[in-house]
Amino acid sequence: MTAQPKTPIPHAADRPIFAILLMNLAVLIFTSMDGLVKHVSEVYPTGQVVFVRNLFAFLPLISYMLVVEKRLQLRTTRPWGHVWRGAAGVSAMFCYFLSYKLLPLSDAIALGLSGPIFLTILSVPLLGEKVGWRRWSAVTVGFIGVLIMTRPGSGVFDLAALVPLLASVFYALAMVSIRRLAATEPPTTIVFYFTLFATAAALFTLPLGALDADLAWRWPQSLNELGLLVLIGIMGGAAQIALTTAFRRASVSVVAPFDYMALVYGFLIGFVIFGERPDRYLIVGGTVVVASGIYIIHRETLLARQRRRAASVPSMPVTQ
């Protein structure tokens, strides 16, 4: 799943069509990367895949910062905020990547799109936000969609379905931390420190091979395998840049709903590459989750706009 910047966008930079195209490009690259992750996970452990995903993401990320932004913005006054964001984000990435290994790609992506549902729930205790009945209704509907997809008690429930749901919870925690960091930190700085944290965190899985052979890191056996691992990282970094730029060029309400194109791309890649055929429960449940997520985004954007308008209204003069 993807990180959504919350910084305000200058009116002069508002280019909605360009932003929508960039967002679709980012989602397509991310989903294609997920397909590659599923493919290489047949040989390489999840920890190693997370490592190469982040290590080689530095290539497009640093290039973008030097060429486009003309500098590396690495100074921060909130190191612990980046640690919190990194811990939540890398936990989400581990769970997402593991779900691609355990489940059909389309199933994992559909279940993983429940992030906004958990974000709404967590925003109450962690951000102190007030959630009205409309968004609580959307959360309830979203959970119904999740239940349709997982069908607990039907005899076909797979415990592996809990992995992308857990990933969505960690994703929501990461989004909470990004909302806090975005008040003072540039988007590329947040992405840089997350990538650095995730690369270092993945290294801690290296000794696990001594406990379980399936978790042992493996050297690529050919240039083709090495190329795929490098490509995963480059695609991840490039998609992150496209996504960040999209959110700089248009408002969240315009751009964010296109994140759900991942469901369409996931169905297509799963069908064409892996021969997966999503059943009617996945299609119906996924559609319900997407609809609830889009409505949550709409309500959050509307309320944020109302808060900005209220803040811009000058107070009444004090009479003597």
Side-chain angles (χ1 to χ4, degrees), residues 6-320:
K6 300 294 179 181
T7 49
I9 301 166
H11 178 72
D14 194 11
R15 298 176 59 189
I17 301 302
F18 177 63
I20 289 171
L21 291 174
L22 272 182
M23 185 64 179
N24 274 275
L25 177 62
V27 174
L28 178 59
I29 295 174
F30 270 130
T31 312
S32 301
M33 181 199 74
D34 294 339
L36 285 180
V37 167
K38 180 175 180 62
H39 174 69
V40 301
S41 293
E42 297 176 0
V43 178
Y44 300 97
T46 302
Q48 185 176 0
V49 178
V50 171
F51 176 77
V52 297
R53 152 66 177 90
N54 290 282
L55 178 65
F56 294 109
F58 278 117
L59 296 175
L61 176 59
I62 293 178
S63 299
Y64 176 83
M65 295 175 76
L66 291 175
V67 174
V68 178
E69 298 189 341
K70 308 298 183 183
R71 59 174 175 166
L72 292 175
Q73 289 185 289
L74 304 182
R75 181 177 297 179
T76 178
T77 58
R78 304 174 64 184
W80 287 110
H82 288 285
V83 171
W84 168 249
R85 185 271 182 271
V90 76
S91 298
M93 186 177 290
F94 265 97
C95 290
Y96 279 128
F97 284 11
L98 180 60
S99 71
Y100 303 148
K101 181 177 183 178
L102 299 176
L103 295 168
L105 183 64
S106 53
D107 291 47
I109 290 177
L111 289 166
L113 288 174
S114 56
I117 299 172
F118 295 106
L119 178 57
T120 301
I121 297 172
L122 292 174
S123 67
V124 176
L126 298 181
L127 294 175
E129 294 186 0
K130 294 182 179 179
V131 177
W133 67 269
R134 293 181 179 86
R135 279 192 287 170
W136 281 128
S137 298
V139 168
T140 302
V141 171
F143 272 118
I144 291 174
V146 171
L147 292 175
I148 292 173
M149 286 189 285
T150 56
R151 285 166 285 166
S154 65
V156 296
F157 175 70
D158 189 345
L159 285 175
L162 296 178
V163 178
L165 292 177
L166 181 60
S168 295
V169 174
F170 284 124
Y171 165 84
L173 290 171
M175 292 302 100
V176 169
S177 64
I178 288 175
R179 287 186 177 184
R180 291 171 171 170
L181 284 171
T184 59
E185 307 287 290
T188 48
T189 303
I190 297 174
V191 174
F192 179 89
Y193 281 113
F194 165 70
T195 306
L196 182 64
F197 185 97
T199 303
L203 280 174
F204 283 96
T205 68
L206 184 57
L208 295 180
L211 303 176
D212 188 337
D214 291 336
L215 301 178
W217 288 28
R218 296 167 173 81
W219 287 104
Q221 299 300 305
S222 65
L223 287 177
N224 181 58
E225 287 189 8
L226 176 61
L228 290 179
L229 295 175
V230 174
L231 182 60
I232 286 173
I234 293 176
M235 290 175 73
Q240 189 66 59
I241 291 169
L243 180 142
T244 301
T245 305
F247 277 97
R248 286 178 172 178
R249 294 295 181 264
S251 64
V252 173
S253 60
V254 170
V255 176
F258 288 92
D259 192 19
Y260 291 104
M261 285 299 294
L263 191 63
V264 177
Y265 299 142
F267 282 176
L268 291 175
I269 293 173
F271 177 74
V272 174
I273 305 300
F274 300 104
E276 300 170 359
R277 294 181 179 273
D279 60 23
R280 63 183 182 275
Y281 295 100
L282 181 65
I283 295 173
V284 172
T287 301
V288 171
V289 168
V290 168
S292 67
I294 291 176
Y295 183 77
I296 289 171
I297 292 169
H298 166 72
R299 286 297 301 173
E300 287 185 345
T301 305
L302 180 62
L303 294 173
R305 188 181 300 125
Q306 291 174 350
R307 287 193 295 267
R308 287 196 298 270
R309 288 175 179 172
S312 64
V313 176
S315 58
M316 293 295 290
V318 178
T319 57
Q320 298 295 328

